[in-house]
Amino acid sequence: MEFFLTEEQLAVQEAAREFTKNELLAGVIERDRDMKYPKAEVRKMAEMGFLGMMVSPEYQGGGMDTISYVLAMEEISKVDSSCSVIMSVNNSLVCWGLEVYGTPSQKEKYLPKLASGEWLGSFCLSEPEAGSDATSQRTTAIDMGDHYILNGTKNWITNGGTSAVHLVIAQTYPEKGHKGINAFIVETSWPGVNIGAKEDKLGIRASDTHTIMYTDVKVPKENRIGEDGFGFKFAMKVLSGGRIGIAAQALGIAAGAYELAVKYAKEREAFGKPIAQHQAVAFKIADMATEIEAARLLVYRAAWLKDNGMDYTGAAAMAKLFASEVAMKHTVEAIQVHGGYGYVKEYHVERLMRDAKITQIYEGTSEMQRIVISRNILNGQLYEPMWKIGEN
Ligand code: CAA
């Protein structure tokens, strides 16, 4: 068993850390306050190769492993989770799904633009009445022979106002339930695609979240992903990988808050010594460090399983569940360490707490992760503890 990162992985981590410090930190409070989309910052992320990290170089991607992607997500999320969710959706839900399940012509047409960041993508599954219960799709895609006609509404769509491509999940054969669902590549410039107002959110306020309306959108048949009826499984498979990205985001948020809390606790004095030397604060720091490290191991392990071609659905759900709970708990603790200063925007930790909350909700709530984990265990499908892998 190895716990070392490779030189390449360390280089990605360092590059993301420097990028975050130099490009994201200065304006993050203002972007959050004003819900200002990080346009210049996303362009720089594209130049750095952060928007198509795992895509093959053949399609202008970075050809990197999931661990490298997780390391970059973690660093960027320490400061700006609006930027990291834009990155995560494009990498894990859109590019990865297209590269693994797209046809050669779909990949040639869409992947280079998405991986290079010239275009952004959105993943359109959630609906006003279908969030956790993702099989209850009301968006319809009627088969018209050489094309489909798409009608419906999607909610909470990340990159909704900026993306050029949507991966849309829709029902073609309602009588078949989830086996009648399809996934489509839809260009936002097509007639009938309408973008609603930007949501005014608790956290990740600079990211671009919209409702999308599709009215009689003509989708060519060659834009369906996979076999007829593969759409729900496509969504589930893509979300399993996506959850590793969101787990890394939660880990970064927790680690960012922890680093700020330790720095503050060493500098701030009370009762004649730095507050870090009071046991009440020192024990908080010890608990934060321990639980964040446990989350890190789960997140890296899920990424490692994916990179090694093993089943990672249960491991990804565990990583997301635990890391997001740790992020919520310890951003609150980081505010407590800061006292009154933690309650004001200048000290960053209140933003990290607001950003943490969404990691317990999107790409499957904590409750849905528990369903995935328990079903995996009870079905006997997996979950192999890491120590057993070497025996296989
Ligand atoms: N891989 C492959 N197939 C899978 C799968 C996976 N990970 N998970 C389920 N399936 C298959 C099942 O095997 C089953 O197929 P069969 O009938 O052929 O056996 C089929 O899919 C249906 O599965 P379930 O019976 O388990 O379905 P369910 O209705 O009980 O739901 C669920 C399962 C896990 C709760 C699922 O609905 C779910 O994950 N819900 C949460 C949805 C979600 O994550 N939404 C996030 C929105 S996207 C977002 O947030 C993006 C953003 O912009 C940030």
Side-chain angles (χ1 to χ4, degrees), residues 41-95:
E41 291 73 15
V42 171
R43 199 170 47 240
K44 284 179 192 150
M45 289 205 301
E47 285 163 15
M48 295 282 294
F50 289 139
L51 295 181
M53 293 183 72
M54 295 173 288
V55 174
S56 151
E58 187 190 341
Y59 300 112
Q60 292 192 37
M64 291 180 216
D65 58 11
T66 315
I67 299 269
S68 299
Y69 164 59
V70 154
L71 293 168
M73 278 293 299
E74 182 182 343
E75 289 307 317
I76 291 173
S77 304
K78 283 181 182 174
V79 169
D80 193 339
S81 280
S82 292
C83 283
S84 68
V85 72
I86 293 166
M87 169 178 164
S88 177
V89 167
N90 203 63
N91 274 279
S92 327
L93 299 185
V94 179
C95 288

Side-chain angles (χ1 to χ4, degrees), residues 92-118:
S92 327
L93 299 185
V94 179
C95 288
W96 188 83
L98 270 178
E99 185 160 22
V100 175
Y101 298 105
T103 62
S105 58
Q106 288 171 349
K107 291 196 250 192
E108 250 161 58
K109 184 167 178 191
Y110 294 108
L111 260 184
K113 286 193 167 110
L114 288 164
S116 64
E118 184 186 337

Side-chain angles (χ1 to χ4, degrees), residues 126 132 135 158 178-179 233 236 239-240 243 363-364 375:
S126 300
S132 294
T135 57
T158 303
H178 73 80
K179 290 185 166 63
K233 290 210 175 168
M236 290 298 109
L239 278 167
S240 288
R243 287 166 185 163
E363 300 201 22
R375 283 191 186 166

Side-chain angles (χ1 to χ4, degrees), residues 64-290:
M64 291 180 216
D65 58 11
T66 315
I67 299 269
S68 299
Y69 164 59
V70 154
L71 293 168
M73 278 293 299
E74 182 182 343
E75 289 307 317
I76 291 173
S77 304
K78 283 181 182 174
V79 169
D80 193 339
S81 280
S82 292
C83 283
S84 68
V85 72
I86 293 166
M87 169 178 164
S88 177
V89 167
N90 203 63
N91 274 279
S92 327
L93 299 185
V94 179
C95 288
W96 188 83
L98 270 178
E99 185 160 22
V100 175
Y101 298 105
T103 62
S105 58
Q106 288 171 349
K107 291 196 250 192
E108 250 161 58
K109 184 167 178 191
Y110 294 108
L111 260 184
K113 286 193 167 110
L114 288 164
S116 64
E118 184 186 337
W119 282 3
L120 281 177
S122 292
F123 183 75
C124 306
L125 171 68
S126 300
E127 298 188 350
E129 287 166 276
S132 294
D133 182 7
T135 57
S136 297
Q137 294 290 307
R138 297 204 176 175
T139 298
T140 55
I142 308 297
D143 190 340
M144 306 297 282
D146 64 343
H147 66 275
Y148 290 88
I149 292 292
L150 187 69
N151 277 290
T153 301
K154 295 289 177 181
N155 260 26
W156 323 120
I157 303 304
T158 303
N159 299 338
T162 41
S163 54
V165 167
H166 292 170
L167 302 190
V168 183
I169 312 299
Q171 182 59 265
T172 303
Y173 312 104
E175 68 284 2
K176 292 190 185 171
H178 73 80
K179 290 185 166 63
I181 291 174
N182 274 311
F184 302 95
I185 307 166
V186 174
E187 296 183 28
T188 55
S189 60
W190 290 350
V193 180
N194 291 299
I195 316 292
K198 181 169 175 167
E199 300 289 353
D200 186 353
K201 309 188 295 287
L202 174 73
I204 55 162
R205 286 173 54 75
S207 81
D208 199 25
T209 312
H210 293 254
T211 296
I212 314 280
M213 285 78 68
Y214 303 98
T215 311
D216 293 332
V217 180
K218 191 173 169 184
V219 184
K221 210 149 220 180
E222 65 262 25
N223 275 36
R224 189 186 72 212
I225 302 172
E227 294 294 306
D228 202 8
F230 179 64
F232 187 73
K233 290 210 175 168
F234 171 78
M236 290 298 109
K237 283 174 183 286
V238 162
L239 278 167
S240 288
R243 287 166 185 163
I244 300 177
I246 299 303
Q249 179 181 56
L251 169 63
I253 293 171
Y258 160 78
E259 286 172 15
L260 289 169
V262 172
K263 181 170 179 292
Y264 182 83
K266 283 172 158 176
E267 288 167 5
R268 168 77 176 180
E269 295 203 355
F271 304 102
K273 56 185 178 183
I275 59 170
Q277 290 180 24
H278 292 288
Q279 198 179 64
V281 174
F283 278 17
K284 273 193 202 307
I285 289 171
D287 287 345
M288 287 169 103
T290 305

